[in-house]
Amino acid sequence: MEVVGGSKDSLSWEESVGLFLKIKSPVTSKNRGQLVQVLTHLCQSHAASRLRMMHDQRQLQKLIEHCLTFPVTPGERYSYLMCQLLNSLLRRQGAAMLSSETSDKVILWFSKALHSSSGEFQSEETIREILRALSNILRDAPDHTDEIYTSLAGTQGSLIRTLEFSSSYYVLAPAMQCLHLLTYVTPEVITETRQHGDEIFPAEVVSSIQRIVIRILKQPLPIPTVCPHKLYLNLIASALNIIYNLVVCAPNDVLGNIIVSACRPFVFYGLPGFAHSDLMRYVTETEVDIPISSGVDSDVSSRNYTNRNRRKRLRRKRAQPSRSTADSNSGPCPLMPSIEGVAVGIRSPPPASALTALSLKPQWARTDNATNKENSCSNTGVVAGEESSSGTASCDNSSVEVRTSGSETDFSDLEGGTEKESILMARVRQCSLQAINAVIDKVGKQHKFSYWPPLMCQNPSLMTSVLKDPSPLVRMASLQVINTFLLDSSQVLTLAVDNVGKGSYTTLGHQLGTSLRELHRCLALALLSEKFPGALIRTLKTIELLVENVNYSKLKPGLLTKIVTHVKYFMRYKEAVVQANSFSVMVSILMIKPQVPELQDILLRYQTPAPVSLTSPLEVVNSSALEEELPGEEIDDENNLKRAMEVMNLVSEDECDKSEDEVQGKTMVSWLIQRCVDSLLTPDHDAVRGIYIQVQLQSLKVLSAFVSEHLPIIHQSLPLIQHVISVCSDAVKEPQQKPVNFTHESSDIDPSLMSPDPGVVVEHAYTLLGSLLGAVKTETEKAPNACISSDQVQQLWLWTLQGPLQVLLQMAGATQKASANDGEERSQTKLENDASWRHRENEVPRSQEQVKQIVAMATVLSHLSSSIFESLGEEWISQVIMTVRWLVTNQDPELRLAGVRIMAIIVGFSGVVGNPGGPSLLQETIVTTLDILSEKESNVNRDRLLASWALANMSSVLDVYCDNWKHTESDSEDKLLSSQLIARLLEVGIRTCNDKNKIRTHGVRCVGNVTSFLKASQAAHPSIAPLVTKSVEMLVTCCSTGNNMKTRWNACYALGNILSSGRLPINTVPWRGQVLMTLGKLLESFKNYKVRIQACSALCSLRSREEFGTEYTAIWHVLFNGLDNAQNIIDYQEIRHRDELLNQICQGICQLTTHLTLEDAGMLSELLQLHQDMAQPLFRKAHLSLPPERTGFALSAQSRVEELLRSDALTEPQEQALSILQTLMASEDVSVRN
């Protein structure tokens, strides 16, 4: 291929390559001139040509491999030309054409060349050419070997030496860029490496990179004549990206504190008012964590404007932008004088105090002009905001100035090219925030708050970046760092307090409380001034995390009012995602625990009257929402907003003029409920067509949180909630149908959002219904202080069964009819409306969406209580049982699981136990549950956990069903549970005991319940007897091994049920001694006191002396040893259970005394004498603390001892033992109380 644009006398490309391949290494004086001439021609030919394709890849491979045979000699012309040729080849064709072996060889060759040239001042041009070529090949070959990492970035690596010894920024910038490309690792490689537990970078490489990068970050700002500003910005951006890569790939080897200290000054690089030299001055010094302490809250929401003249002046003033040029013209923000070399933050709030003259309404909600301006600003994007920043930069020598680029060089791309300096500075700030966020994320929730004081409590803080940075991407990065702080931080933030202590130092709680109050204020201001939708969503997410993790009961009131005041406006924002996030914030606010009086005041402060027709839940509620006036709100803006709402049909003129007498006769509805209803019951007009499916779902979640946490507030609005549930649960349409509320499409709305999936709305509507019924169930348990009566609860359930759940009941009834008629056609049982699947009686739903909706409907039945269930009447009870049977026997696994869950809750209700279909439903449910646990494929942990829990609940009421069985006693168990079903129950239960910890707990319960249910005749069955032995051995293993204390406690409880049931011949079973000794070891010295209490209860639950056998005396020793060492607490957390353990052991000794014989008394004489002094005060304390219902064993033991003392011919040991026991058992308090 000839060179395009070359002369006729010039050599062709192939001829030049052939001549070059004939020149062999080493270079001598004879072939040096020819080599330089050929390389010059090759470089010129390749640079001038526009190669469309390299036909002979083998020739190119040979060319590159031949170049690698020549060493780079500093100062030689051919070395520079050879590097230039390789750079040109790699830049045009890339390293993708090379094999991995060849790429490694090229990288190692460049590393050696760079290493040999780094010490020569004359070879700077060669070094820059090497770095160019190295960056090209590193960009296309992201995965490297340890040899390459060590050669380039080890302690003596070529890039490290170049960065250490070079003083030219034209060399430092490309070298840092190569280091950035070297440390970049694809996410797939990171995931695979972590799975195998390997290290990506050698420890030597991580250490050397950190050392050199942090040193460069801490260097002072160079002067423009030495380094152009754009070149310096690219250098710093590459260094910060390297830090980020190291933290992500090697989190255990990085220096978190040093990294955060080095990166923090660049968070504010280029912001007006903050000199970089001042921020860098104290990087290497020790920092003191001093929070911002505002003397006066500058937020306007905390002030009451009652002066009319002041309000008139405020109306005449134009609203100032949040990021105005006034702050930048004022010069750098001065710091307070340092104390012993420590920079102390200013005590006044950040410059955002200029917003005191602003309205509380966000800019988009004030006037139509503001909306138009916002649209124009959002179209311009990031660049518009950053241009304003570049124009307001300070001209002070100590601060960062906007400088023009230097002369055009080969590194013009690193100098920024056509990129503006404002964009490059924003990139530096964003990279520094990403590196800090990576450090905080990797250290974990236990240590991340060590970075809270320098980033959140010192000025400037991260909130300064959120409020003042012109770039929305940087503001979002700052908010992301705050989100990382707030995520899973409730255990630390609960220490925050507002009260100032009297000590000589600031406590951590007061430091957190001050910074949290400042964070609330700044986030509220950020909502007012933010225009970029992405940053606005991130701000709302930050507020949501803040509300979820802060304990407001320890802070002064006012914070929630400030948040709600600002967030409520965005519930009507034009962007659906912003609306949805605003509703999500309200969900977090409603779920605050413990509840604070301020929240109730917020919800009840502004109420809107509801029409009288809302007294019936089936009537439609007209959408109406009144906007309330808030402190600091301009009258003109309020009137404009009211007129705009009248246009949107949200407020009518008649409602604004109604008198108080007319309003008194109506039910008042909270403003939050009304806004949720407006989002769900959308009127058919153009003004509110921007409400999408996300807003509807979040509105339903808000209502669910409202009814579940604040039922006393919302109980008067239950008709309105019922109406919303009725409308939304009946909103299912065919996928081809369009929503009826939207008559035509708009060009500025996404068509995919205009066609929401109605099935999701139905699911959340039934979730709202379940939350309502669950809250009502919890509230009725507080009787007589409940806000809702039992009659109202009954009517609510009747409405539920007749309305929202009618479809589910009809589907179950239609299926039963179809099976009863046997061969009748399905068309005879179809409902009238056949347009939707919900009006058909299909036994198996046709899609996964329909299955989810049926599961949501069925889940509502799990909120039934025993009293309400029995008050519904026989007809409704039979329909519910029929529906549960249809779910349990359905072919779909999700429906079967939903039916099993419902049955596990209602299985103990007397209405189910006494119903003729109850026992058969129990059998079918047990079989279905066993099938779920026996399935090997597609059996996830959630299904096994729910099935094992249900099986444990159902096995605990087998005795109740046997007592209500209508057959003879001899046939009752065989009719209820066959031998095959019992054997299968034990097999599945034993297998469940070997599952995961949460599932194992329920398996232990199931095995214990079934084993204690068996009679001697059943346990002797050939197919059951081996399983009984295995079950007891499994229970012994579970109570004696494992770290899950809940499993151990349940195993002890199950063994106690087996020993105390009286159904099995305990005195003859072979496993009795093993069970008693295991329980004795737990009681004597186990670390968990709750397990010891249950072990003692199980150990002493035997009914006769014969059942104790030869272990009777050993159990006495165990009890006294346990009583003695129960006071030696190793774990301080067990001190709360110590008294209960002592009382249980004393009660157990009393139980053993009731079975005492004279022979046993003689053998226990020495033991009783040894522990008499220790036991007597403990028994006295136990007699005084035990309630009357637990003193029966003490009275029985006292009677037994007195009976034995009246015996004839007592030996001396027997008499001594009985006397000691009489002293221990005797208590005047016991006899008096009984």
Side-chain angles (χ1 to χ4, degrees):
M1 182 174 14
E2 294 185 356
V3 181
V4 178
S7 61
K8 295 182 180 180
D9 298 335
S10 61
L11 295 175
S12 65
W13 169 264
E14 289 79 2
E15 293 175 347
S16 300
V17 171
L19 292 176
F20 177 68
L21 293 177
K22 294 179 180 179
I23 302 175
K24 303 297 182 182
S25 179
V27 180
T28 62
S29 58
K30 297 181 180 180
N31 57 6
R32 180 180 286 106
Q34 183 181 7
L35 179 60
V36 171
Q37 184 178 2
V38 172
L39 287 174
T40 303
H41 183 267
L42 286 174
C43 293
Q44 293 176 354
S45 300
H46 199 267
S49 63
R50 299 183 179 272
L51 298 177
R52 294 179 296 272
M53 179 181 295
M54 185 64 64
H55 296 280
D56 193 355
Q57 296 292 339
R58 290 179 298 178
Q59 185 186 52
L60 185 62
Q61 187 90 5
K62 290 181 180 180
L63 181 61
I64 294 178
E65 291 179 354
H66 189 66
C67 290
L68 301 182
T69 60
F70 293 91
V72 175
T73 304
E76 292 288 348
R77 179 63 179 171
Y78 75 87
S79 298
Y80 170 78
L81 293 174
M82 194 171 298
C83 294
Q84 187 178 9
L85 176 62
L86 288 174
N87 180 29
S88 179
L89 293 174
L90 294 173
R91 184 175 65 251
R92 291 178 178 271
Q93 276 72 39
M97 63 180 180
L98 303 177
S99 61
S100 58
E101 294 81 4
T102 306
S103 298
D104 293 343
K105 291 180 181 179
V106 174
I107 295 174
L108 292 175
W109 185 86
F110 280 125
S111 177
K112 294 179 181 179
L114 186 62
H115 194 279
S116 61
S117 303
S118 58
E120 296 291 335
F121 178 77
Q122 296 84 358
S123 60
E124 179 179 330
E125 187 178 2
T126 305
I127 294 177
R128 293 166 61 183
E129 199 66 40
I130 293 174
L131 292 173
R132 289 194 195 95
L134 187 59
S135 63
N136 289 328
I137 193 169
L138 288 175
R139 183 179 293 107
D140 296 328
D143 300 331
H144 312 290
T145 61
D146 289 348
E147 182 183 4
I148 293 178
Y149 284 127
T150 306
S151 175
L152 290 175
T155 306
Q156 299 296 326
S158 56
L159 288 177
I160 300 299
R161 286 175 56 86
T162 302
L163 291 170
E164 283 182 345
F165 298 111
S166 179
S167 60
S168 173
Y169 282 90
Y170 291 97
V171 174
L172 294 178
M176 192 67 72
Q177 184 183 15
C178 292
L179 203 58
H180 174 210
L181 296 173
L182 178 67
T183 55
Y184 174 75
V185 182
T186 58
E188 295 79 9
V189 175
I190 297 176
T191 304
E192 183 180 359
T193 306
R194 289 178 180 175
Q195 290 177 352
H196 294 84
D198 300 332
E199 296 291 339
I200 299 179
F201 304 135
E204 175 190 359
V205 172
V206 176
S207 177
S208 59
I209 292 178
Q210 283 187 104
R211 174 176 53 83
I212 190 63
V213 172
I214 292 176
R215 194 192 74 174
I216 291 178
L217 289 176
K218 292 183 177 181
Q219 289 179 354
L221 187 68
I223 59 177
T225 56
V226 175
C227 175
H229 192 214
K230 290 186 178 181
L231 184 63
Y232 178 74
L233 292 175
N234 281 282
L235 171 66
I236 297 300
S238 299
L240 294 171
N241 283 324
I242 292 170
I243 293 294
Y244 174 80
N245 293 338
L246 289 182
V247 175
V248 172
C249 299
N252 298 327
D253 300 329
V254 296
L255 305 174
N257 291 321
I258 298 178
I259 289 176
V260 172
S261 177
C263 295
R264 182 180 178 274
F266 293 97
V267 175
F268 316 100
Y269 188 88
L271 289 182
F274 298 100
H276 184 68
S277 58
D278 294 337
L279 295 173
M280 292 289 296
R281 187 180 304 169
Y282 306 105
V283 169
T284 58
E285 301 292 340
T286 306
E287 296 184 356
V288 178
D289 303 335
I290 300 178
I292 298 176
S293 178
S294 315
V296 180
D297 191 358
S298 62
D299 190 4
V300 292
S301 62
S302 62
R303 302 181 182 179
N304 296 322
Y305 294 100
T306 57
N307 191 329
R308 291 189 176 182
N309 293 330
R310 178 174 175 79
R311 297 185 67 177
K312 291 180 180 178
R313 290 196 302 269
L314 291 176
R315 289 198 301 270
R316 287 194 297 265
K317 290 182 179 180
R318 298 182 60 86
Q320 299 178 3
S322 61
R323 296 172 185 85
S324 61
T325 58
D327 294 336
S328 60
N329 295 333
S330 60
C333 180
L335 293 172
M336 295 182 63
S338 60
I339 303 176
E340 296 182 359
V342 179
V344 182
I346 61 175
R347 297 182 59 86
S348 60
S353 57
L355 293 172
T356 54
L358 287 179
S359 168
L360 283 181
K361 292 182 181 178
Q363 295 181 3
W364 60 268
R366 294 174 189 168
T367 58
D368 296 336
N369 295 332
T371 306
N372 297 332
K373 291 180 181 179
E374 179 185 356
N375 295 334
S376 61
C377 292
S378 60
N379 294 332
T380 56
V382 181
V383 179
E386 291 169 348
E387 288 177 358
S388 62
S389 172
S390 62
T392 59
S394 176
C395 297
D396 195 287
N397 294 331
S398 60
S399 60
V400 179
E401 301 177 1
V402 179
R403 307 178 181 91
T404 58
S405 177
S407 58
E408 295 298 330
T409 61
D410 296 332
F411 288 97
S412 59
D413 53 343
L414 287 177
E415 292 184 45
T418 58
E419 282 187 301
K420 297 182 179 180
E421 289 192 0
S422 58
I423 298 178
L424 292 177
M425 289 189 292
R427 184 181 302 169
V428 168
R429 296 193 296 269
Q430 184 180 3
C431 292
S432 62
L433 288 167
Q434 290 176 351
I436 293 174
N437 183 69
V439 172
I440 298 173
D441 182 58
K442 291 299 179 181
V443 296
K445 61 181 181 180
Q446 296 181 351
H447 305 287
K448 64 182 179 181
F449 269 87
S450 60
Y451 303 103
W452 178 276
L455 294 175
M456 298 296 297
C457 298
Q458 292 183 358
N459 187 71
S461 65
L462 290 178
M463 290 312 304
T464 306
S465 176
V466 174
L467 291 174
K468 298 194 64 176
D469 201 294
S471 173
L473 296 179
V474 179
R475 298 197 297 271
M476 293 173 63
S478 301
L479 290 170
Q480 181 59 41
V481 178
I482 301 175
N483 291 349
T484 306
F485 270 125
L486 297 176
L487 188 65
D488 297 330
S489 61
S490 57
Q491 293 182 353
V492 178
L493 295 184
T494 190
L495 303 174
V497 293
D498 273 341
N499 298 327
V500 181
K502 298 181 180 180
S504 58
Y505 63 94
T506 303
T507 62
L508 175 62
H510 177 61
Q511 200 174 29
L512 288 174
T514 305
S515 59
L516 286 179
R517 181 167 292 276
E518 186 70 11
L519 184 59
H520 280 79
R521 185 187 69 86
C522 294
L523 288 176
L525 294 177
L527 279 180
L528 292 179
S529 56
E530 188 59 66
K531 297 181 180 180
F532 188 67
L536 191 57
I537 294 172
R538 187 67 60 84
T539 306
L540 292 171
K541 289 289 186 182
T542 306
I543 295 176
E544 182 179 355
L545 285 173
L546 180 65
V547 172
E548 290 177 355
N549 292 277
V550 172
N551 187 357
Y552 289 93
S553 61
K554 294 184 178 181
L555 302 176
K556 295 180 182 178
L559 298 180
L560 289 177
T561 304
K562 185 181 303 182
I563 293 297
V564 175
T565 300
H566 293 77
V567 172
K568 73 181 187 65
Y569 288 103
F570 294 92
M571 299 170 73
R572 298 187 185 278
Y573 196 76
K574 63 177 183 179
E575 297 287 343
V577 182
V578 176
Q579 291 187 41
N581 281 274
S582 302
F583 279 100
S584 181
V585 172
M586 299 309 302
V587 173
S588 300
I589 293 176
L590 292 172
M591 298 297 292
I592 288 176
K593 293 181 180 179
Q595 297 182 5
V596 291
E598 180 187 4
L599 180 57
Q600 183 177 0
D601 179 69
I602 293 172
L603 298 176
L604 296 178
R605 181 181 301 175
Y606 306 106
Q607 295 183 343
T608 57
V612 181
S613 58
L614 285 180
T615 55
S616 175
L618 298 179
E619 295 182 0
V620 179
V621 182
N622 295 327
S623 300
S624 62
L626 295 178
E627 287 292 332
E628 64 276 6
E629 181 183 358
L630 297 174
E633 191 171 6
E634 285 95 353
I635 297 176
D636 296 339
D637 291 341
E638 183 180 2
N639 295 333
N640 293 336
L641 183 61
K642 186 178 295 184
R643 285 194 295 270
M645 291 172 62
E646 291 174 358
V647 175
M648 295 172 61
N649 295 335
L650 297 178
V651 176
S652 62
E653 297 180 359
D654 296 336
E655 290 182 0
C656 299
D657 300 332
K658 287 183 179 179
S659 62
E660 295 183 0
D661 297 335
E662 295 178 352
V663 175
Q664 288 179 356
K666 294 187 177 182
T667 303
M668 302 302 293
V669 181
S670 174
W671 62 271
L672 183 57
I673 299 177
Q674 192 64 58
R675 291 198 176 181
C676 294
V677 173
D678 293 341
S679 301
L680 294 168
L681 309 180
T682 307
D684 187 10
H685 53 73
D686 297 338
V688 289
R689 286 190 301 110
I691 298 179
Y692 305 140
I693 186 66
Q694 301 95 330
V695 182
Q696 294 179 346
L697 298 184
Q698 292 298 331
S699 300
L700 290 172
K701 289 182 180 180
V702 170
L703 293 178
S704 299
F706 215 136
V707 299
S708 61
E709 300 295 333
H710 306 277
L711 186 62
I713 300 177
I714 203 177
H715 75 279
Q716 295 181 353
S717 305
L718 286 183
L720 179 60
I721 303 298
Q722 291 176 259
H723 176 73
V724 171
I725 295 173
S726 300
V727 174
C728 293
S729 61
D730 197 34
V732 175
K733 307 296 178 183
E734 290 295 329
Q736 292 79 9
Q737 290 183 337
K738 296 183 178 179
V740 296
N741 290 333
F742 306 113
T743 56
H744 62 276
E745 296 184 358
S746 176
S747 59
D748 58 345
I749 297 178
D750 188 359
S752 62
L753 297 177
M754 292 297 296
S755 302
D757 181 12
V760 182
V761 178
V762 175
E763 293 178 38
H764 284 74
Y766 283 106
T767 302
L768 171 59
L769 178 59
S771 300
L772 174 61
L773 296 174
V776 167
K777 178 181 177 181
T778 305
E779 187 67 22
T780 53
E781 297 175 355
K782 302 178 182 178
N785 298 325
C787 64
I788 186 170
S789 63
S790 58
D791 294 337
Q792 291 175 327
V793 177
Q794 182 183 10
Q795 294 299 320
L796 181 61
W797 267 105
L798 290 175
W799 167 82
T800 301
L801 295 174
Q802 296 172 4
L805 295 186
Q806 184 181 9
V807 176
L808 180 64
L809 301 179
Q810 288 179 352
M811 293 173 68
T815 304
Q816 186 181 18
K817 262 188 202 175
S819 59
N821 293 335
D822 225 5
E824 294 185 3
E825 296 179 357
R826 298 277 183 145
S827 58
Q828 297 179 0
T829 60
K830 284 187 178 182
L831 301 177
E832 297 180 359
N833 189 357
D834 197 37
S836 174
W837 69 269
R838 299 178 73 232
H839 302 287
R840 304 175 189 147
E841 75 286 357
N842 295 337
E843 181 178 358
V844 182
R846 297 176 298 175
S847 66
Q848 190 66 24
E849 174 194 343
Q850 299 165 0
V851 171
K852 291 180 180 179
Q853 296 169 19
I854 298 177
V855 171
M857 285 187 279
T859 306
V860 176
L861 294 176
S862 62
H863 297 283
L864 279 167
S865 62
S866 179
S867 58
I868 296 299
F869 186 72
E870 296 171 7
S871 66
L872 295 177
E874 292 295 332
E875 181 180 355
W876 287 112
I877 290 176
S878 300
Q879 289 194 23
V880 170
I881 293 177
M882 177 186 62
T883 303
V884 176
R885 178 180 283 108
W886 175 73
L887 291 170
V888 169
T889 58
N890 201 284
Q891 298 180 8
D892 190 88
E894 293 293 332
L895 298 185
R896 291 202 307 268
L897 202 62
V900 167
R901 178 185 180 184
I902 299 171
M903 185 58 186
I905 294 174
I906 68 173
V907 66
F909 294 175
S910 58
V912 179
V913 177
N915 191 278
S920 60
L921 176 61
L922 176 66
Q923 295 173 357
E924 293 173 348
T925 308
I926 290 177
V927 173
T928 301
T929 308
L930 294 176
D931 293 339
I932 294 174
L933 290 172
S934 301
E935 291 177 357
K936 301 294 183 181
E937 300 178 357
S938 66
N939 195 358
V940 296
N941 296 336
R942 177 185 62 87
D943 298 347
R944 296 202 312 275
L945 177 61
L946 196 152
S948 60
W949 165 77
L951 198 61
N953 284 6
M954 289 184 290
S955 61
S956 64
V957 296
L958 294 178
D959 291 336
V960 180
Y961 277 83
C962 287
D963 295 339
N964 289 272
W965 195 249
K966 303 300 182 182
H967 296 279
T968 60
E969 183 179 354
S970 58
D971 296 333
S972 62
E973 282 88 355
D974 294 338
K975 290 291 183 179
L976 184 63
L977 295 178
S978 61
S979 300
Q980 293 80 5
L981 187 57
I982 292 176
R984 192 181 177 194
L985 263 172
L986 292 175
E987 289 176 355
V988 174
I990 293 171
R991 186 166 60 249
T992 307
C993 291
N994 293 320
D995 212 315
K996 295 186 177 181
N997 285 335
K998 292 184 179 180
I999 303 174
R1000 185 183 306 167
T1001 301
H1002 304 302
V1004 166
R1005 290 177 53 207
C1006 175
V1007 170
N1009 293 334
V1010 175
T1011 307
S1012 62
F1013 167 75
L1014 297 177
K1015 284 191 173 182
S1017 58
Q1018 294 175 311
H1021 194 276
S1023 61
I1024 298 178
L1027 294 175
V1028 173
T1029 304
K1030 290 182 180 180
S1031 300
V1032 175
E1033 292 176 353
M1034 178 58 66
L1035 293 176
V1036 170
T1037 303
C1038 290
C1039 72
S1040 58
T1041 59
N1043 297 325
N1044 191 342
M1045 298 300 111
K1046 188 175 181 180
T1047 301
R1048 287 194 165 198
W1049 187 94
N1050 280 279
C1052 294
Y1053 182 83
L1055 290 174
N1057 286 342
I1058 296 173
L1059 295 176
S1060 62
S1061 64
R1063 295 172 177 263
L1064 298 177
I1066 302 298
N1067 53 343
T1068 59
V1069 292
W1071 39 261
R1072 181 195 61 185
Q1074 181 185 9
V1075 172
L1076 296 180
M1077 289 300 98
T1078 302
L1079 294 174
K1081 291 180 181 179
L1082 290 174
L1083 169 61
E1084 190 173 7
S1085 60
F1086 192 59
K1087 61 180 181 179
N1088 188 280
Y1089 277 24
K1090 293 185 70 174
V1091 175
R1092 293 178 67 176
I1093 293 171
Q1094 192 57 48
C1096 179
S1097 177
L1099 189 62
C1100 303
S1101 61
L1102 294 175
R1103 300 189 172 198
S1104 64
R1105 173 63 180 82
E1106 291 76 14
E1107 291 182 349
F1108 283 98
T1110 57
E1111 288 82 9
Y1112 182 77
T1113 306
I1115 294 175
W1116 274 91
H1117 285 80
V1118 167
L1119 288 173
F1120 276 103
N1121 291 335
L1123 189 66
D1124 190 11
N1125 62 28
Q1127 303 178 76
N1128 303 328
I1129 300 176
I1130 300 177
D1131 188 357
Y1132 72 94
Q1133 295 182 354
E1134 300 297 332
I1135 194 173
R1136 52 183 176 175
H1137 306 300
R1138 180 186 59 183
D1139 294 340
E1140 179 62 26
L1141 175 60
L1142 294 174
N1143 294 340
Q1144 184 63 50
I1145 295 177
C1146 293
Q1147 184 177 345
I1149 293 175
C1150 294
Q1151 290 179 255
L1152 289 182
T1153 306
T1154 58
H1155 307 301
L1156 186 68
T1157 62
L1158 291 177
E1159 292 78 8
D1160 297 329
M1163 291 185 291
L1164 296 175
S1165 176
E1166 183 178 356
L1167 175 67
L1168 292 172
Q1169 293 178 15
L1170 179 64
H1171 296 283
Q1172 179 182 3
D1173 296 337
M1174 176 271 301
Q1176 189 169 356
L1178 297 178
F1179 266 85
R1180 185 180 298 109
K1181 182 179 179 181
H1183 289 319
L1184 293 174
S1185 60
L1186 284 174
E1189 59 271 13
R1190 294 183 59 182
T1191 57
F1193 288 108
L1195 295 174
S1196 301
Q1198 187 177 2
S1199 301
R1200 179 61 178 170
V1201 171
E1202 293 176 354
E1203 179 184 355
L1204 292 177
L1205 283 174
R1206 291 193 295 267
S1207 302
D1208 299 332
L1210 290 174
T1211 62
E1212 183 178 357
Q1214 292 174 352
E1215 186 175 359
Q1216 291 177 352
L1218 293 175
S1219 299
I1220 295 173
L1221 289 175
Q1222 186 180 25
T1223 305
L1224 295 178
M1225 304 302 164
S1227 175
E1228 297 179 359
D1229 297 321
V1230 175
S1231 59
V1232 169
R1233 285 183 293 175
N1234 291 274

